[in-house]
């Protein structure tokens, strides 16, 4: 495996970073604080949420606010969160069905419930804090485009339903092809399922949370890559957090909200969280055309277990579509262990995948004139055992990780971050936080050699070669 790397310079500008917040390049103080109670590494969804929850929790429980520094390698929210699909889509049955087979139904249900609860919690914070981030509560439509993927998803959903998993009550299954095409609007859908979801402008949510944290006293330092953290505390209980070119911050507690890049500063996670590159686009419709059909839902268009597009309609009439794996998945180096979000994925012409996407796949969009306005890449943190790594590090007291969301962080991170805040501030145990048990960082998970990312890829490639 190639050495893990830090975020690269000159990342492609995604649509979400077209309206920059004053904190984008912020440094609360000209020099780094020499010593704080807590250092949070990373100012994406996870880092901003941890900072927000720590301060909220302290306020609610009358605990003195800890001093906190948030150290971010590039601009605020310039990682995966600022480059994603904006789809906050709890998964009631796809991953839970796999988890039910590998870990049992009870643990799978725990994960599915946690995601549904995260959607509710994100909506609640947006409402309570009046955050303007284009949030829409909707139904996700999962359009299944072939008989094999239909059979697989139907079997998984059936298993969970038969076992009485409660989140399945929110799922509607349409097995008839004609009705599925009518309901989804996706041409050639063989079946579809719908369930509650949300979509939003992720950068605006995260910058609003960061603003709250900074207003409450957090010291935000952008363009400050961390290159190492001491594995052991000094005699006074402080860890040395070393930045690339701005010196050292001493901290009693350290939170790694570094997702794809975690192994660069935490060797224990090498090979356990792998940077995986994805690609996303914005499609717009010319104003002088007859309006195209309204898209009332958010969408997944699923071709196989590993090939799908995710898509949200925006209230400005544009559409965000990501995916394109069918084009580049075979070319391992173009996505696996790859941190190059300064370049498009050109393997298989993936960067052109979104041209004509609406015309080809959605009913009534044939003459819409929809065109790809922009394409960008982003780096996800894929967990080698497919579960996020959350909680205290077994061999590093007072150091926590919240990372490895495997391209699916939107419906998991906000409550994961709340759990980290509870553990760091009130000393709650992992199990008291409600975070799914199988997400806990354990010695066993860190030592495992399992790599479900490569296993999934190899089985996809071998199935293809047999066709
Ligand atoms: C193209 C794409 C589409 C996606 N679409 C969706 C979607 O629609 N729905 C969904 O649920 N999920 C989606 N995801 C995944 C989702 O974006 C992530 O799960 C989530 O944003 C992760 O948030 P995070 O805060 O953990 O990571 P990030 O947003 O990547 O934040 C980590 C931050 O840490 C900083 N950092 C890292 N290392 C260091 C260091 N050593 N020193 C200082 N700073 C450091 C990085 O610069 C970065 O800003 C998508 C991801 C991509 C790339």
């Amino acid at each position: 495996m190639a050495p893990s790397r830090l975020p690269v310079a000159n990342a492609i500008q995604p649509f979400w970073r077209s309206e920059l917040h004053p904190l984008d390049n912020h440094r609360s103080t000209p020099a780094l604080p020499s010593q704080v109670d807590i250092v949070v590494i990373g100012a994406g969804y996870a880092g901003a949420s941890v900072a927000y929850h720590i301060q909220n929790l302290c306020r609610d429980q009358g605990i003195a606010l800890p001093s906190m520094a948030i150290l971010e390698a590039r601009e605020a929210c310039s990682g995966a969160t600022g480059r994603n699909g904006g789809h906050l889509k709890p998964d009631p049955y796809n991953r839970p069905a796999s988890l039910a087979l590998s870990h049992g139904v009870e643990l799978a249900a725990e994960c599915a419930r946690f995601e549904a609860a995260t959607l509710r919690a994100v909506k609640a914070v947006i409402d309570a804090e009046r955050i303007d981030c284009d949030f829409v509560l909707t139904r996700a439509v999962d359009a299944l485009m072939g008989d094999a993927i239909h059979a697989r998803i139907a079997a998984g959903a059936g298993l969970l339903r038969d076992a009485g998993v409660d989140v399945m009550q929110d799922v509607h299954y349409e097995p008839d092809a004609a009705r599925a095409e009518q309901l989804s609007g996706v041409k050639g859908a063989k079946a579809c399922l719908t369930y509650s979801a949300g979509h939003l402008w992720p950068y605006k949510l995260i910058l609003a949370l960061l603003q709250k944290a900074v207003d409450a006293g957090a010291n935000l330092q952008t363009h400050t890559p961390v290159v190492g953290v001491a594995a052991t505390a000094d005699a006074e209980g402080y860890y040395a957090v070393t930045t690339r070119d701005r010196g050292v911050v001493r901290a009693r507690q350290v939170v790694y909200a570094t997702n794809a890049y975690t192994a660069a500063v935490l060797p224990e996670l090498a090979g356990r969280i792998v940077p995986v590159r994805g690609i996303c686009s914005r499609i717009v419709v010319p104003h002088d055309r007859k309006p195209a059909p309204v898209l009332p839902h958010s969408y997944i268009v699923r071709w196989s277990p590993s090939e799908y597009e995710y898509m949200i309609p925006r209230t400005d009439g544009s559409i965000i579509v990501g995916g394109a794996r069918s084009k580049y998945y075979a070319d391992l180096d173009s996505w696996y262990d790859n941190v190059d979000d300064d370049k498009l994925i050109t393997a298989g012409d993936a960067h052109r995948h979104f041209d004509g996407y609406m015309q080809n796949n959605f009913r009534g969009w044939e003459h819409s004139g929809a065109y790809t306005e922009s394409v960008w890449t982003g780096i996800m943190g894929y967990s080698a055992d497919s579960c996020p790594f959350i909680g205290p590090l077994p061999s590093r007291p007072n150091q926590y990780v919240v990372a490895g969301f495997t391209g699916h962080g939107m419906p998991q991170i906000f409550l994961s971050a709340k759990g980290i805040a509870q553990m760091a501030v009130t000393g709650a145990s992992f199990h008291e936080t409600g975070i799914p048990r199988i997400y806990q960082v354990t010695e066993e998970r860190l030592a495992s050699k399992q790599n479900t990312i490569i296993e999934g890829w190899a089985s996809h490639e071998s199935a293809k070669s047999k066709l």
Side-chain angles (χ1 to χ4, degrees), residues 60-74:
D60 286 354
Q61 303 202 1
I63 301 169
L65 277 184
S67 56
M68 188 180 348
I70 306 170
L71 307 180
E72 165 54 50
R74 303 193 296 204

Side-chain angles (χ1 to χ4, degrees), residues 6-7 41-47 71-74 78-81 83-87 224-226 257-259 261 265 278-280 310 378-380 402 405 407-411 413:
L6 291 170
I41 311 174
Y45 185 6
L71 307 180
E72 165 54 50
R74 303 193 296 204
S78 58
T81 316
R83 333 176 66 79
N84 70 19
H87 206 175
T224 305
V226 169
T258 39
N259 209 26
Y261 310 96
V265 278
I279 189 163
C280 202
Y310 42 89
I379 311 301
M380 302 171 274
V402 51
F405 291 96
H408 186 59
M410 296 293 277
I413 290 177

